[in-house]
């Protein structure tokens, strides 16, 4: 990507052909870098990083029925995966049961359908929940899925204080980029604060939120926009928790983040380093955090799905390897590498295994894990880190000037900024300024045939039958009483997770829980941005 003045980064910042000492004039390593594992954490959140052990290798999986997904999880664990990352179908993500009319045609399509405790039992059958870490990509109904997971663990004899993992639980980015929201933003913030308080008491090792820039990046956000809007959202979550009476050092150590890794390796490394430094200073200087763990930006990374191509899909193996390498060089705590066939359909078993093997090659066959932050002091990376930091801070301030992340969302600010960036990139691809191998350059006259994994169309009927059997077998009076207690908590100030857990244990469905809260809190109606 170039213009008349020279090369430009993904964030539209200039890239010089040569960097030398003049690029770092006045650069103070003590204040800008510090030591690994020490404030401001530019060089990583832990002193030894990967020299002691590698990052957690996650594979995002979940499709069709809970039984099919469970089989895939067992395969991934046997292949060496240290953590699972669960994908849910759209009805589950939006608080609808599989037998509701709005769910028709979407059950099991982009993830696993989880309607009840029965489904969650099947999903994790035979998996040792005290030994694996589970990340669940779920937002508006994140509390519901968290409690179902805890209930299954308790049935295995595993108490909440032994469970490790993450719920994404980041609803603000849904209003910006994805759209799988349910309740209005302020009620959603209340629910998230209740999750913070619940986990502080009941599940202290659980990461209560994964504040996500990934989905904004997939929608077209630049690296600067990705970290700026993500950290602005994070500031809103911190304020909401403080407003609910929580002390910052009681919940901030369990905050985690989720970013993308693109093929532009140098800028991505710089982005991750800048994000750590910005967050450390925000937490210390603006929110008064005292615990160093409250200042650590710990994050999961997923390689860039938006950069995968359906044309010549095997080339995606190369892209994913470079993206994964950038995430590791940038200091990620866990990593999911996309399968090469995901631009076409759900990954096949072989493709998922190759994606995991990519991480294992980086971890065990390269030398990048033998030293901490190998790019420290690099003229180009330190210069890029500073430039990204300055640009991101200016954009965070623009959000703050609009009243914070929620107010800016209500004004359509973040969404319109991202849409402009996405439009610019697509124009560059269309006119050939930006090369995408196999798409607008180095193309084939005829693509090789590829047979994708297909979802069984009978899944929806099976889920409907399971729900019918569940409702016939459970104590409906107990479910209704528990849902009434949930609504009473939602109208007041009590933590809603305790009556929610009671309802789910009585085998209320996820849709019934969401509908109970809809009756109290309403649903969000977005404002048109154009």
């Amino acid at each position: 990507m170039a213009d008349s003045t020279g090369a430009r980064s993904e964030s539209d910042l200039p890239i010089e052909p040569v960097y030398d000492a003049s690029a770092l004039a006045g650069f103070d390593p003590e204040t800008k870098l510090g030591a690994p594992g020490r404030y401001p954490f530019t060089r990583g959140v832990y002193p030894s990083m990967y020299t002691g052990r590698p990052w957690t290798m996650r594979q995002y999986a979940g499709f069709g029925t809970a039984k099919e997904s469970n089989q895939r999880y067992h395969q991934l664990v046997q292949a060496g995966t240290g953590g699972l990352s669960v994908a849910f179908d759209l009805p589950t993500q939006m608080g609808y049961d599989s037998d509701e009319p709005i769910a028709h045609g979407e059950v099991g399509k982009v993830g696993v359908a989880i309607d009840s405790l029965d489904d969650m039992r099947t999903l994790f059958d035979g998996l040792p929940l005290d030994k694996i870490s589970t990340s669940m990509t779920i937002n508006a109904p994140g509390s519901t899925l968290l409690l179902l997971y805890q209930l299954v663990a308790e049935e295995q004899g595993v108490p909440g204080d032994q469970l490790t993992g993450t719920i994404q639980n980041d609803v603000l980015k849904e209003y910006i980029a994805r759209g799988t929201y349910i309740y209005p933003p302020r009620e959603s913030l209340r629910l998230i604060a209740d999750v913070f308080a619940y986990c502080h008491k009941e599940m202290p090792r659980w990461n209560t939120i994964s504040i996500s820039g990934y989905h904004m990046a997939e929608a077209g956000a630049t690296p600067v926009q990705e970290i700026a809007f993500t950290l602005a959202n994070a500031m809103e979550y911190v304020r909401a928790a403080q407003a609910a009476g929580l002390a910052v050092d009681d919940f901030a150590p369990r905050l985690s983040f989720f970013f993308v890794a693109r093929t532009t390796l140098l800028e991505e490394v710089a982005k991750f380093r800048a994000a750590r430094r910005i967050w450390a200073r925000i937490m210390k200087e603006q929110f008064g955090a005292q615990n160093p763990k409250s200042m650590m930006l710990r994050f999961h990374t997923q390689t860039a799905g938006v950069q995968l191509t359906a044309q010549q899909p095997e080339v995606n193996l190369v892209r994913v390897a470079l993206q994964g390498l950038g995430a590791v060089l940038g200091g990620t705590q866990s990593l999911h590498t996309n399968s090469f066939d995901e631009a076409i359909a759900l990954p096949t078993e072989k493709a998922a295994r190759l994606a995991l093997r990519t991480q294992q090659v980086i971890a065990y066959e390269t030398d990048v894990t033998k030293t901490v932050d190998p790019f420290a002091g690099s003229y180009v990376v330190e210069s890029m880190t500073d430039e990204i930091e300055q640009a991101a801070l200016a954009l965070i301030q623009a959000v703050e000037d609009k009243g914070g992340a929620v107010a800016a969302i209500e004004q359509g600010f973040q969404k319109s900024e991202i849409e402009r960036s996405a439009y610019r990139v697509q124009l560059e691809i269309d006119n050939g300024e930006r090369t995408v191998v196999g798409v607008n350059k180095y193309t084939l006259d005829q693509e090789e045939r590829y047979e994708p994994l297909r979802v069984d169309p009978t899944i929806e009927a099976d889920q409907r039958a399971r729900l019918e059997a569940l409702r016939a077998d459970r104590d409906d009076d107990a479910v209704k009483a528990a849902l009434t207690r949930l609504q009473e908590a939602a109208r007041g100030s009590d933590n809603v997770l305790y009556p929610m857990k009671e309802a789910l244990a009585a085998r209320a469905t996820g849709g019934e829980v969401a509908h109970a809260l809809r009756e109290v809190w309403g649903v969000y109606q977005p404002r048109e941005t154009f």
Side-chain angles (χ1 to χ4, degrees), residues 52-74:
R53 65 181 180 87
W55 59 93
T56 299
M57 299 181 193
R58 296 192 185 277
Q59 285 307 107
Y60 188 49
F63 64 96
T65 66
K67 184 176 181 180
E68 289 174 303
S69 295
N70 175 263
Q71 292 169 352
R72 175 65 62 88
Y73 294 155
H74 279 281

Side-chain angles (χ1 to χ4, degrees), residues 367-499:
D367 56 4
V368 298
T369 61
K370 292 182 171 60
T371 187
V372 177
D373 188 25
F375 272 119
S378 157
Y379 294 141
V380 61
V381 170
E382 296 297 2
S383 179
M384 281 185 166
T385 301
D386 285 352
E387 290 175 348
I388 289 172
E389 179 184 20
Q390 292 164 13
L393 285 170
L395 195 51
I396 290 170
Q397 188 58 53
V399 173
E400 292 293 285
D401 290 344
K402 293 183 180 299
V406 169
I409 286 167
E410 291 171 344
Q411 297 168 51
F413 174 67
Q414 300 97 318
K415 190 171 185 291
S416 63
E417 290 291 301
I418 290 170
E419 286 170 350
R420 272 195 287 272
S421 297
Y423 182 66
R424 172 177 61 85
V425 169
Q426 190 58 52
L427 282 181
E428 291 170 356
I429 294 171
D430 291 346
N431 64 27
E433 288 181 61
R434 177 186 295 255
T435 296
V436 180
V437 174
V439 175
N440 64 0
K441 200 169 185 179
Y442 311 115
T443 58
L444 295 176
D445 292 334
Q446 184 174 351
E447 292 286 337
E448 295 179 14
R449 180 176 173 79
Y450 176 81
E451 187 60 38
L453 180 71
R454 301 193 184 279
V455 175
D456 187 343
T458 65
I459 287 169
E460 183 173 334
D462 291 344
Q463 282 297 112
R464 294 173 69 91
R466 285 172 61 83
L467 281 165
E468 184 178 358
L470 175 142
R471 292 189 175 106
D473 184 55
R474 70 186 184 183
D475 183 343
D476 277 340
D477 290 338
V479 170
K480 290 176 183 176
L483 291 174
T484 297
R485 285 188 286 274
L486 171 62
Q487 289 182 317
E488 290 170 353
R491 290 188 184 95
S493 59
D494 289 347
N495 192 311
V496 299
L497 268 73
Y498 290 95

Side-chain angles (χ1 to χ4, degrees), residues 11-89:
S11 298
D12 205 29
L13 300 171
I15 301 178
E16 301 300 328
V18 177
Y19 287 80
D20 55 26
S22 66
L24 299 181
F27 182 82
D28 181 7
E30 287 299 314
T31 58
K32 289 282 190 177
L33 301 183
R38 301 287 296 275
Y39 183 89
F41 304 104
T42 310
R43 302 199 62 194
V45 293
Y46 302 123
S48 60
M49 289 303 290
Y50 312 132
T51 60
R53 65 181 180 87
W55 59 93
T56 299
M57 299 181 193
R58 296 192 185 277
Q59 285 307 107
Y60 188 49
F63 64 96
T65 66
K67 184 176 181 180
E68 289 174 303
S69 295
N70 175 263
Q71 292 169 352
R72 175 65 62 88
Y73 294 155
H74 279 281
Q75 292 164 0
L76 290 171
V77 170
Q78 291 166 7
T81 294
L84 300 176
S85 188
V86 185
F88 298 95
D89 71 356

Side-chain angles (χ1 to χ4, degrees), residues 189-199 244 246 489 493-498 521:
L189 281 176
R190 182 264 175 94
L191 182 56
I192 288 167
D194 281 358
V195 171
F196 289 170
Y198 180 87
C199 288
L246 300 175
S493 59
D494 289 347
N495 192 311
V496 299
L497 268 73
Y498 290 95
W521 289 342

